[in-house]
Amino acid sequence: MGLVKRGKVWWMYFTYQGRQVRKSSGTPDRKLADAIFSKIKVQMVEGQYFERAAAASHTFIELMDRYEKEHVVRKLRHRGVKGYMTNLRGFFGTYNLAEITPKVIVAYKNKRYEDGMAPATINRELANLKKAFNLAMREWEWCHQNPVSRVSMEKENNKRDRWLNSEEEGRLLAACAPWLQDLVTFALNTGMRMGEILELTWRGVDLNRRTVTVFRSKNGERRTIPVNQAVLTVLKNKAKVRSLATDRVFCSKAFTPIESGHLRRAFRLALKKSAIEDFHFHDLRHTFATTLVQSGIDLYKVQQLLGHKSPIMTQRYAHHYPESLRDGVEILDRLRDSSTKVAQSAGLEAGVNCVSG
């Protein structure tokens, strides 16, 4: 075990778990080579040397390529995930897996804040990075630890409370091109997410039963949604011009899939034209839920229509229907009235007894 200079570079020779290892220190500096060798000795004592060597043999680009091929393309909203991956590649592209430490990941978070990104966006990017490392660790055996698990996620404050009133709905629909008007009408009357609408196929449409089926929702579950007359009209009009070239309900004039980016740009133009501010396409889903709750529909039904796994997610809409809470305060009036009547009745009885005496 020791250092040997070969040419201008110091090489390390040692035995680990019965194996002869010869490895370049990568430096002509003897002191630096000693420091590198000492670090490897510590790793050997801790039993981590070959673990780090395995991680060092795979690059971050390899990780992203395999993650995209085996995981991302199967997701419903894979186009958005690819955007996160582009940002991750740009920062970590020159690293191997052993070099990506919590300290490096924190540096990435700081850079994203400098880029003006919101905490929610940073968390989505870190979540994908964490998932990729989990696959590399548990299934591919490329590394033996996940550095992202040691990094805290950012605190989000993204509970938007924005919906359209009926007057704003009318202005927005009037400002939309016919193809966009169909999509907005669909979202307002089904509460479906953008990805669910764009991925909807005729296989999931039943005009006789007046239902549409989401085969793969955000949480991975299938759900069937009853549709009203407004949605049924859109579907019947679409059925008249459907093409054998695609099974998508919503597609371009050339019968190609509608890109989410194109939809968002067109939606922003319609918002500007209708003078509606601080509103996103996803807020159409909030409008759907809020309108139902304000009309007295119970939260359980709203939960099922939205496809929420937990009622906690639907509770955010509860404050939009104060009438549902009214019986909670009106009981106080009834209790006080009852107490007053009892007191009055007791007083009358006492008066009658005095007269009789």
Side-chain angles (χ1 to χ4, degrees):
M1 178 181 287
L3 288 169
V4 176
K5 195 169 188 179
R6 295 177 58 191
K8 295 183 178 181
V9 177
W10 288 96
W11 283 69
M12 300 171 287
Y13 291 81
F14 55 91
T15 301
Y16 182 67
Q17 294 182 347
R19 295 174 57 180
Q20 295 292 323
V21 180
R22 182 180 62 181
K23 182 177 178 64
S24 171
S25 69
T27 179
D29 187 321
R30 175 60 189 257
K31 288 185 178 180
L32 181 56
D34 279 331
I36 294 171
F37 196 18
S38 296
K39 186 174 182 179
I40 288 179
K41 290 177 183 177
V42 172
Q43 292 173 0
M44 288 192 293
V45 170
E46 294 176 347
Q48 296 179 347
Y49 174 68
F50 280 120
E51 293 179 3
R52 288 188 57 80
S57 68
H58 294 284
T59 67
F60 183 77
I61 296 301
E62 286 182 279
L63 175 69
M64 287 292 98
D65 287 347
R66 186 166 180 180
Y67 176 61
E68 180 176 358
K69 181 180 179 181
E70 298 186 11
H71 179 74
V72 174
V73 294
R74 301 171 187 169
K75 294 178 70 67
L76 174 64
R77 292 161 34 161
H78 59 83
R79 294 182 183 88
V81 175
K82 286 185 177 181
Y84 300 146
M85 292 173 63
T86 298
N87 296 321
L88 292 168
R89 288 176 192 268
F91 186 89
F92 297 104
T94 60
Y95 289 84
N96 63 51
L97 301 191
E99 294 171 330
I100 300 176
T101 62
K103 181 179 178 179
V104 175
I105 297 170
V106 170
Y108 174 76
K109 288 203 301 182
N110 293 336
K111 181 184 181 301
R112 296 301 284 154
Y113 273 120
E114 291 173 3
D115 293 339
M117 294 299 104
T121 300
I122 296 172
N123 282 345
R124 299 298 87 74
E125 292 172 352
L126 292 181
N128 279 278
L129 182 60
K130 186 175 184 178
K131 176 64 177 180
F133 264 104
N134 277 337
L135 290 171
M137 179 177 65
R138 297 169 183 170
E139 298 184 16
W140 309 336
E141 297 183 352
W142 284 7
C143 57
H144 293 266
Q145 59 181 345
N146 187 337
V148 191
S149 62
R150 294 160 56 194
V151 177
S152 60
M153 302 297 277
E154 300 303 286
K155 184 176 181 179
E156 298 182 26
N157 184 22
N158 59 350
K159 292 184 178 180
R160 289 178 57 79
D161 197 21
R162 179 73 168 97
W163 69 92
L164 297 177
N165 57 41
S166 57
E167 188 270 335
E168 288 177 317
E169 276 189 31
R171 279 164 36 206
L172 176 59
L173 289 169
C176 292
W179 69 272
L180 180 58
Q181 192 176 93
D182 287 344
L183 285 161
V184 171
T185 298
F186 211 88
L188 284 170
N189 289 275
T190 64
M192 290 169 62
R193 302 176 179 90
M194 178 192 293
E196 294 171 343
I197 297 174
L198 295 181
E199 296 283 339
L200 181 66
T201 62
W202 286 108
R203 184 169 66 93
V205 174
D206 190 329
L207 295 177
N208 293 323
R209 293 179 58 214
R210 295 165 58 110
T211 63
V212 293
T213 298
V214 176
F215 292 104
R216 188 175 54 163
S217 65
K218 180 181 177 181
N219 56 31
E221 295 186 352
R222 167 177 171 164
R223 78 178 189 278
T224 299
I225 305 165
V227 300
N228 59 15
Q229 189 57 50
V231 173
L232 196 62
T233 299
V234 170
L235 291 173
K236 287 181 177 179
N237 289 336
K238 288 287 182 184
K240 294 176 183 177
V241 295
R242 62 179 294 191
S243 169
L244 296 177
T246 179
D247 194 37
R248 298 277 181 95
V249 174
F250 295 97
C251 51
S252 69
K253 290 182 180 179
F255 300 107
T256 57
I258 297 175
E259 294 289 335
S260 58
H262 175 61
L263 172 54
R264 287 191 177 92
R265 285 191 294 272
F267 188 69
R268 284 195 296 268
L269 289 174
L271 290 173
K272 185 176 181 180
K273 186 177 178 181
S274 58
I276 295 174
E277 299 179 348
D278 186 32
F279 197 80
H280 305 155
F281 191 92
H282 193 74
D283 293 330
L284 297 173
R285 178 172 163 88
H286 298 325
T287 301
F288 167 81
T290 300
T291 302
L292 292 183
V293 174
Q294 287 179 337
S295 301
I297 303 301
D298 67 74
L299 290 180
Y300 177 76
K301 288 183 180 178
V302 177
Q303 176 190 341
Q304 296 305 307
L305 289 169
L306 292 176
H308 285 163
K309 276 190 172 182
S310 167
I312 296 175
M313 300 174 68
T314 319
Q315 284 295 328
R316 62 183 296 186
Y317 300 105
H319 70 282
H320 297 316
Y321 185 48
E323 289 303 315
S324 67
L325 306 176
R326 189 170 299 281
D327 59 350
V329 294
E330 287 183 344
I331 192 172
L332 299 176
D333 290 332
R334 293 196 295 272
L335 289 172
R336 291 191 182 103
D337 288 343
S338 177
S339 298
T340 300
K341 290 177 181 178
V342 169
Q344 290 175 344
S345 176
L348 288 173
E349 289 183 7
V352 169
N353 290 335
C354 288
V355 171
S356 299

